[in-house]
Amino acid sequence: MPNKDEHLDASGISRRGFLKGVGAASAATALLTGAQEMKEAAAQAAAPAEMGPGNVTIMLDVNGIQHKVEVEPRVTLLDALRNRLDLTGTKKVCDRGTCGACTCMVDGDLAYSCSMLAVEAVGRKITTIEGLGTPDKLSDIQKAFIEHDALQCGFCTPGFVMATTAFVKAHPNATLEEVRKGMGGNLCRCGTYAGITQVALGTPAYVKGGA
Amino acid sequence: MKPFAYANPKTIEEAVKLLGDAWGKTEVLAGGTDLVTSLKQNLTSPDKVVSLKDVEGLSGIVAADGSLKIGATTKLKDLIANAEVKKNFPCLVTAAESIGSPQIINVGTVGGDLLQRPRCWFFRQGYGLFGTYEGAALVPDGDNRYHAIFDNKGPAQFVNPSSLAPGLIALGATVRVHGPSGTRDLPVAELFATPKADTDREYTLKPNEILTYVSIPMKGLKNATYEIRQRIGLDWPMVTASVAYEDSGGKAANAKVVLGHVAPTPWVSDKAAAALNGQAVGEDSAMKAGAAAAEGATPLSMNGYKVHQVKVVVKRAVMASMA
């Protein structure tokens, strides 16, 4: 995986490197819409970074810890978490972005880890269920799930805890309609929605303090 | 899934150079919510996947030259949250929000919504774009409840799955496309075409072209989307309609009515638009537009219900535009 500062390491602060830095800064606010920007971008075009199809070494930031992982580019973030890092709290169920059991946070946003390649997660902060709480020190949402009997077989639960954690943070005083819309990315085949809905509605009140 | 090489270029020129000139040899990766699943199911088995995540200038929303330009890798959540989009284009906000899964809305992109492959279950189960087995078409006698009711006499009977395309077409939006010999702009309606061969794609991009942004003229059009869905959570709608028109003292002018999930492409209904133009916008004209939109439908064995849904969805979209 190329380091973002590779051009500086290779050639010091060259004029090319400086221009590239400027280009990157302006890209944050400007779309590639003008002819001038296009020319500048063309001038910066370097040799394409291509890797694989065999193993590549990448760094993944999971629950605040940097992990060195060897994966083929085709490996999903979900499989890297479970099979390379032994973080098996994140569940593999449908493996096609439909059920939500594999839900993690990527840069603080809910995401299906089955539908993201591990190589795409480089440089981003990944939070899994293991990063929310521990058996000795549960997060508030985890505690509330137990109190409200919001699980049965438990297989969808890690994904639902992730989804509920993000939902309650964004909607501390949610209505039932908001819960139904905002929690629509996860499925529970046991049908424990009544309990999960109670937690997402902010009952008990301590969940509103954040997880 | 076949192993593939992965590239994450920094510029659009590099990205275009990395693409092959035949479908299926290389694929472009944005949010991945469709492509990664398609790779697992061997719907496509490329030698190389070209990621857009580090390509500069593809993400963001800027107002320029009387248009709002939305970068192709802009996430749906950022489209929904954008103040200009909210104020000017509620038809897009409704459509994006209704996708129903925060996990998709957080990761999925505007370009990816437009260029996702059809959700037809025959296609997704490996029976090709036209759903055939040993040369026989599976859709006409199979479970075709979610298939097309317009433009379904050829081999293509799937429906276009894009949430944003109907609204963008109604608003008169264009897309910019980068290819090996430079850029071209085309109306969103022309981004889609009903394929004639099952090796074709449903869009008119060439294999080595990349959609870079959508440009929507800010003309103060009244607009709205209405979707009929089976459930609130993650799913694709059954039928949708987006409407946009100039409000000329309570009467509609230059109306556009575009249906989603009824044909292999987003379906522009000129008859529905004609029923609105020059009329006072209200329940009466909304119902007439709905009835006009359903004219000429050719439902399959199991999707006759969609013809009625077209009438309802257009009426409700027109009513929503008055809010």
Side-chain angles (χ1 to χ4, degrees):
Chain A
M1 195 66 202
N3 184 312
K4 282 209 165 150
D5 296 326
E6 197 170 66
H7 60 285
L8 293 182
D9 300 340
S11 57
I13 303 173
S14 65
R15 177 172 161 72
R16 184 188 164 89
F18 171 70
L19 279 175
K20 190 164 182 170
V22 171
S26 60
T29 50
L31 277 178
L32 208 52
T33 53
Q36 186 53 43
E37 287 165 75
M38 287 309 306
K39 255 187 235 165
E40 192 188 329
Q44 291 164 9
E50 204 170 314
M51 60 183 92
N55 270 350
V56 296
T57 305
I58 57 170
M59 296 299 288
L60 289 180
D61 178 340
V62 186
N63 302 328
I65 298 167
Q66 292 284 339
H67 296 271
K68 196 173 183 179
V69 190
E70 280 206 3
V71 288
E72 292 180 25
R74 63 174 167 161
V75 171
T76 61
L77 175 59
L78 171 63
D79 285 343
L81 290 170
R82 290 181 57 85
N83 302 341
R84 304 295 196 282
L85 299 178
D86 211 20
L87 292 167
T88 54
T90 305
K91 300 302 184 212
K92 185 171 186 170
V93 179
C94 76
D95 204 22
R96 59 180 70 177
T98 299
C99 76
C102 69
T103 299
C104 293
M105 288 181 201
V106 176
D107 288 338
D109 286 329
L110 296 176
Y112 294 136
S113 61
C114 75
S115 300
M116 182 177 288
L117 298 177
V119 289
E120 288 275 290
V122 170
R124 308 177 74 177
K125 289 190 183 309
I126 299 145
T127 309
T128 69
I129 189 74
E130 290 89 349
L132 288 190
T134 64
D136 300 330
K137 196 170 181 302
L138 296 173
S139 76
D140 287 342
I141 295 288
Q142 286 172 319
K143 262 189 269 177
F145 262 63
I146 296 169
E147 281 179 28
H148 283 274
D149 203 15
L151 63 153
Q152 191 173 318
C153 86
F155 222 76
C156 72
T157 308
F160 256 116
V161 169
M162 299 304 290
T164 312
T165 301
F167 178 81
V168 172
K169 194 174 170 193
H171 306 86
N173 297 299
T175 61
L176 188 57
E177 196 193 355
E178 283 172 332
V179 172
R180 285 184 175 151
K181 277 192 177 170
M183 299 277 293
N186 293 65
L187 292 173
C188 169
R189 293 207 69 177
C190 303
T192 59
Y193 297 111
I196 297 168
T197 301
Q198 284 305 309
V199 180
L201 282 170
T203 327
Y206 64 71
V207 301
K208 294 185 191 177
Chain B
M1 189 191 319
K2 198 184 87 173
F4 51 78
Y6 166 90
N8 61 326
K10 306 292 182 288
T11 69
I12 192 71
E13 285 77 9
E14 268 182 80
V16 165
K17 265 187 225 161
L18 286 160
L19 294 175
D21 56 10
W23 288 122
K25 290 285 179 197
T26 52
E27 293 285 355
V28 175
L29 174 63
T33 59
D34 184 20
L35 182 65
V36 175
T37 300
S38 301
L39 291 166
K40 287 183 209 175
Q41 296 184 291
N42 294 317
L43 298 182
T44 177
S45 298
D47 299 323
K48 191 194 303 173
V49 166
V50 178
S51 167
L52 299 182
K53 91 175 154 78
D54 292 336
V55 175
E56 286 171 10
L58 285 191
S59 175
I61 301 176
V62 291
D65 315 322
S67 314
L68 199 65
K69 293 177 168 52
I70 303 173
T73 64
T74 304
K75 292 183 180 2
L76 295 168
K77 67 160 183 161
D78 295 324
L79 175 81
I80 292 168
N82 184 274
E84 291 289 340
V85 175
K86 271 189 195 170
K87 187 175 133 209
N88 296 291
F89 310 126
C91 69
L92 301 181
V93 176
T94 303
E97 276 182 340
S98 303
I99 289 167
S101 161
Q103 289 92 325
I104 300 283
I105 290 167
N106 289 340
V107 177
T109 65
V110 169
D113 173 81
L114 289 171
L115 299 174
Q116 63 181 308
R117 305 300 310 274
R119 317 310 300 189
C120 164
W121 42 35
F122 298 105
F123 171 59
R124 294 278 162 176
Q125 293 300 320
Y127 294 100
L129 195 51
F130 299 155
T132 54
Y133 181 66
E134 294 182 342
L138 296 171
V139 180
D141 300 319
D143 191 333
N144 51 38
R145 72 182 85 173
Y146 302 124
H147 285 77
I149 57 168
F150 291 105
D151 189 19
N152 56 1
K153 295 300 178 196
Q157 296 180 311
F158 59 82
V159 296
N160 179 279
S162 170
S163 290
L164 299 177
L168 289 171
I169 293 169
L171 293 166
T174 57
V175 290
R176 171 153 297 188
V177 170
H178 274 254
S181 52
T183 65
R184 62 186 180 110
D185 293 320
L186 66 161
V188 175
E190 292 175 21
L191 182 60
F192 303 99
T194 304
K196 299 280 182 283
D198 70 358
T199 47
D200 289 349
R201 295 254 164 138
E202 324 74 59
Y203 35 83
T204 58
L205 293 186
K206 296 186 182 75
N208 51 9
E209 287 183 322
I210 296 174
L211 195 163
T212 54
Y213 66 85
V214 179
S215 180
I216 316 172
M218 298 170 86
K219 295 192 291 197
L221 300 182
K222 287 270 204 182
N223 64 91
T225 293
Y226 193 90
E227 302 196 339
I228 297 180
R229 297 180 155 262
Q230 282 178 307
R231 58 196 185 108
I232 298 167
L234 172 59
D235 204 351
W236 279 261
M238 298 160 93
V239 175
T240 76
S242 295
V243 299
Y245 56 88
E246 289 165 22
D247 182 0
S248 174
K251 291 185 176 176
N254 292 317
K256 276 195 189 169
V257 178
V258 187
L259 300 164
H261 292 77
V262 297
T265 59
W267 190 249
V268 179
S269 176
D270 291 334
K271 286 178 184 169
L276 281 178
N277 280 332
Q279 302 299 314
V281 181
E283 196 160 349
D284 187 50
S285 57
M287 281 183 76
K288 284 180 179 149
E295 280 175 28
T298 53
L300 303 170
S301 60
M302 288 179 71
N303 64 7
Y305 71 94
K306 277 192 171 189
V307 180
H308 183 66
Q309 286 187 335
V310 164
K311 296 178 190 171
V312 174
V313 86
V314 169
K315 177 184 140 189
R316 291 187 186 175
V318 173
M319 298 305 284
S321 73
M322 298 166 68

